[in-house]
Amino acid sequence: MPGRNALFIPGPTNVPDAIRRAMDVPMQDQRAPDFPDFSLGLFRDLKKIFKTETGQVFLFPGSGTGGWEAAITNTLSPGDKVLAARFGQFSHLWIDLCQRHGLEVEVVDVEWGRGVPVDVFGEHLAADKRHEIKAVLVCQNETATGVTSDVAGVRRAMDATGHPAMLYVDGVSSIASIDFRMDEWGVDLAVSGSQKGFMLPTGLAIVAASQKALTAYESAKCPRCFFDFGDMMRTNKDGFFPYTPATTLFHGLRASIDLLLEEGLENVFARHHRLAEGVRRAVGAWGLKLCAKEAKWYSDTVSAICVPEGFDGNAVVRLAYLRYNLSLGLGLSKVAGKVFRIGHLGDLNDLTLLTAIAGSEMAMRDLGIAVELGSGVAAAQEYYRQTARPVDMPLASAASM
Ligand SMILES: *Cc1c(COP(=O)(O)O)cnc(C)c1O
């Protein structure tokens, strides 16, 4: 099909041209004496993205899943207890990974469409008088349901009970797009990947560890080799790696960090919020509901949209792709068929997002879902116009707007 595929899945996301060009480099000698001039700057500036001054960042070839594994195996031992909530496919898979590593997971099941229940976590922590819970796991942005949880709230609940457990955050679809503050929130392990907010191809697990986590490393007994923090630290301190690093992706990462810091993280978060709000206005205009049950759970990086009873969300996704070359996110696991997802993170602006809204309308109409063509587009257009950045030009008076 001519024209570009309109890619609106919540990862991999669109790679900006500046990042693509930055990766068009020859292979390089990762043991060259001047390699650290390049690599050490990445570690330094990634700390700004995670908002940590005291933590340490690790770069593994891998994906977000590898980041989960690195966080767990470097800091815990088989039999250790961790507390986690399950409210979507990604929070579920992280729990599964923990169990396969022999951890005992105290699972709090939550209706899909809600996030981490801070009060319930507080009760579990208060009841754990012997401090058997070693880690509290939070999936900051549940990509399957479009739900964002309150990491700072979990930290407060931990502090309120004086519980010494470590706090682990899956930030794969939030870090670099939704507010995240490692030091301020007392996060001990923060996990991300390259292909979502960082706008890179898949291929890197990006993990940040606190000093407390690095102390836990000393006694953690989970088997690990490829993801070993110690091997990394011994070589990273001089700017090198224990095995061949993904140098091409590192050049993309350099460009990604530069783009993010140039725009300013707070502006990046505000842009994601505004773009997401436009999608939410469209969903409202369609007369549909989000999978996220309440506004406090709304995700600024992905919206899972419920299709009416009797319709198949995955058919919307399939048709949008086959007829309009639009890639939307499928409903996963428990919400398969019930929702379709619009990913709105990374390299996006008002007009790119209108493409996804327009295409979704067309596909839904083709399947007989009663949405009015143009209704969602108009609602989003109106919102984007009203909130567009000011320009030094005369505009129509407010009354005629
Ligand atoms: C995408 C994603 C993952 C898994 O990352 P991969 O890069 O696919 O391994 C984990 N958690 C969340 C919240 C995600 O969105």
Side-chain angles (χ1 to χ4, degrees), residues 13-23 42 45-46 48-49 176-177 194 196-201 250-269 271-272 346-348:
T13 65
N14 296 285
V15 178
D17 290 343
I19 293 182
R20 272 222 303 261
R21 282 194 298 268
M23 292 185 296
L42 292 177
D45 292 336
L46 276 170
K48 298 178 190 161
I49 308 288
S177 350
S194 50
K196 297 186 184 174
F198 284 98
M199 306 171 285
L200 290 162
F250 285 4
H251 286 277
L253 181 61
R254 180 69 263 166
S256 162
I257 295 169
D258 290 344
L259 285 175
L260 290 166
L261 295 180
E262 193 181 307
E263 184 176 355
L265 284 178
E266 307 316 310
N267 296 329
V268 171
F269 303 151
R271 173 167 56 83
H272 280 83
D347 188 36
L348 296 169

Side-chain angles (χ1 to χ4, degrees), residues 366-380:
D366 292 348
L367 290 168
I369 297 176
V371 296
E372 194 183 327
L373 280 186
S375 60
V377 171

